[in-house]
Amino acid sequence: MPFKNLFDAVDLNQLRLKNRLIRSATWEGIADIDGSIGEDTYEIYRELAKGGVGAIITGFTSVATNDFYFGGMMRLSDNKLIPQYKKLVEIIHAEDCKAISQLALGAFYKKISSKNFIEISETSMRTQDVENIIKMFVAAANRAEICGFDGVQIHAAHFFFLSRFISPLVNHRKDKFGGSTENRAEILLEILRGIKNSAPKLHVTIKINSNDFTVGGIEEEESLKICEMLAAAGIDSIEVSGNGTSVGGIKAGVNEGYFGDFAAKLAKEVKIPVICVGGWRSRQEMEKFLNQTDVELISLSRPLVCEPDFPKKLFADKNCVSKCVSCNACYSTPAHRCRFGRNCG
Ligand SMILES: Cc1cc2nc3c(=O)[nH]c(=O)nc-3n(C[C@H](O)[C@H](O)[C@H](O)COP(=O)(O)O)c2cc1C
């Protein structure tokens, strides 16, 4: 096997990346309530793209207009938003970087009067509501394609709606979308088939929990089974994560890559590229991992919040390590900027 260099170009289905580094989805929380974005968002993505990463997965982008789960969510829930997101893609493409929209639903909200909505649980929503959600994901992917995105990522991790829906802990449905692993995963397969049928040029990836880390939730064996079903149904790549996504206390060269074991197991089982996120901080550890396993790609979130040009630094200096101290303060700063990294010399 030839040595896998972090800066090799890689050919994925429908997608050629200039290197093996992907910006993992990172929610900025600065879009308007209707999903509109402006110069502050463009600036963040311009800086990231200039920083040398091969592809950027956007922060979670709701497929629904009535999804109030988090503040400042991007949305691809309405055609009127297309020009703004087209501009975002153009900014990313101008730096020879690929653009992937992370499509998500925080929760399902039902309108109960002209101004009031209530959240309906994954178990009690009607079958027709589930079918409508599938259509919303497909419609959002179609908008992403019109905007020029190279791919979409189905966000089925971190106990967002899809992650809860496929989990036996939350989904106690009695219809075709509940019960067995196959039934709970059917929502993912229908979204995938819908996107593949109507937007065949898009690279379709998924972010999924290797483990819910909750008693009664999805564990590794079931996650593997769902990933195999997705691979058989034509998903183009899989990004492995888990609940408790942004682990603290990461030290370069000591405890990097906390989902690495599962990603390695999965990459052995499936014939599609696996992307491993979570706690990567040094080129040496990333390349060691890539070369000891069948995993093809590494994704980064906090290191790029801290230093958007981290890929360029890794390219220039093999021994470079991230300045990110995994303090997670970026979760509570405006636009989720790093509180420390930019000023630490
Ligand atoms: C501020 C912040 C926002 C995040 N937003 C998202 C998101 O929109 N979608 C997602 O799947 N994960 C999100 N994550 C999780 C990251 O993508 C990533 O899985 C996690 O931080 C571990 O990788 P890291 O060690 O490279 O940061 C976010 C993480 C942070 C710190």
Side-chain angles (χ1 to χ4, degrees):
M1 277 275 276
F3 182 79
K4 284 190 246 170
N5 184 306
L6 207 50
F7 292 92
D8 289 338
V10 268
D11 280 309
L12 311 178
N13 200 11
Q14 320 273 36
L15 203 56
R16 168 160 250 251
L17 304 191
K18 66 184 171 195
N19 59 45
R20 297 181 184 275
L21 284 171
I22 296 182
R23 196 297 282 257
S24 197
T26 306
W27 156 64
E28 292 86 17
I30 52 175
D32 290 346
I33 184 79
D34 69 346
S36 291
I37 51 172
E39 202 40 53
D40 48 356
T41 301
Y42 297 145
E43 192 43 42
I44 290 172
Y45 282 85
R46 189 176 290 120
E47 206 181 0
L48 276 168
K50 277 185 196 291
V53 77
I56 294 176
I57 304 179
T58 66
F60 54 73
T61 301
S62 185
V63 300
T65 304
N66 306 329
D67 176 6
F68 310 108
Y69 202 63
F70 281 101
M73 290 191 281
M74 296 201 250
R75 298 184 197 269
L76 275 172
S77 51
D78 193 310
N79 290 347
K80 74 171 189 193
L81 295 163
I82 289 173
Q84 298 171 27
Y85 286 79
K86 195 164 183 268
K87 183 166 174 192
L88 180 70
V89 174
E90 285 164 2
I91 287 167
I92 296 172
H93 281 170
E95 303 299 332
D96 185 25
C97 180
K98 297 295 195 275
I100 297 175
S101 171
Q102 187 186 54
L103 301 181
L105 186 69
F108 175 66
Y109 291 85
K110 197 178 174 90
K111 197 169 192 167
I112 50 166
S113 70
S114 63
K115 288 204 176 125
N116 290 320
F117 296 83
I118 49 165
E119 187 184 334
I120 309 275
S121 84
E122 288 67 19
T123 293
S124 54
M125 58 198 293
R126 297 169 309 162
T127 305
Q128 193 193 330
D129 295 326
V130 181
E131 281 161 356
N132 281 338
I133 286 173
I134 293 166
K135 285 189 191 137
M136 289 195 294
F137 270 89
V138 176
N142 287 329
R143 289 187 196 103
E145 191 184 39
I146 296 169
C147 294
F149 279 102
D150 305 284
V152 291
Q153 181 173 67
I154 302 166
H155 188 4
H158 309 162
F159 258 26
F160 270 61
F161 174 84
L162 290 176
S163 167
R164 296 193 301 273
F165 197 93
I166 62 173
S167 175
L169 183 71
V170 179
N171 178 341
H172 302 137
R173 302 181 65 84
K174 302 281 178 241
D175 63 357
K176 68 168 183 162
F177 294 111
S180 64
T181 307
E182 286 76 6
N183 284 5
R184 278 179 280 114
E186 180 61 19
I187 190 168
L188 303 182
L189 297 175
E190 291 198 18
I191 290 171
L192 173 62
R193 285 185 214 114
I195 298 175
K196 283 284 172 195
N197 282 335
S198 63
K201 287 204 207 108
L202 288 175
H203 178 94
V204 186
T205 179
I206 190 163
K207 190 169 187 179
I208 198 157
N209 278 354
S210 50
N211 201 318
D212 287 344
F213 299 120
T214 317
V215 176
I218 285 186
E219 294 183 11
E220 287 196 0
E221 199 181 321
E222 187 168 37
S223 178
L224 267 181
K225 190 169 166 190
I226 294 172
C227 289
E228 281 165 10
M229 287 160 55
L230 286 160
I235 199 97
D236 296 312
S237 62
I238 298 177
E239 186 183 19
V240 167
S241 188
N243 281 352
T245 164
S246 306
V247 172
I250 303 299
K251 298 239 176 334
V254 177
N255 55 355
E256 295 187 48
Y258 42 86
F259 295 122
D261 289 348
F262 180 85
K265 228 183 271 176
L266 175 62
K268 256 194 174 169
E269 298 296 324
V270 293
K271 296 278 169 281
I272 52 166
V274 170
I275 308 163
C276 185
V277 72
W280 295 107
R281 301 293 181 264
S282 69
R283 179 164 173 183
Q284 287 192 352
E285 288 299 309
M286 290 184 237
E287 281 182 344
K288 189 163 95 186
F289 174 71
L290 289 174
N291 284 289
Q292 285 174 348
T293 69
D294 295 322
V295 173
E296 290 287 345
L297 297 137
I298 298 283
S299 54
L300 307 168
S301 168
R302 291 167 292 174
L304 297 179
V305 170
C306 182
E307 300 165 276
D309 60 348
F310 185 46
K312 279 195 172 157
K313 291 177 179 165
L314 288 173
F315 183 73
D317 176 5
K318 265 185 180 260
N319 297 316
C320 171
V321 299
S322 171
K323 289 178 183 162
C324 174
V325 293
S326 315
C327 66
N328 288 338
C330 49
Y331 272 109
S332 45
T333 55
H336 299 158
R337 297 275 193 181
C338 180
R339 207 177 275 281
F340 309 108
R342 282 152 198 277
N343 304 317
C344 68

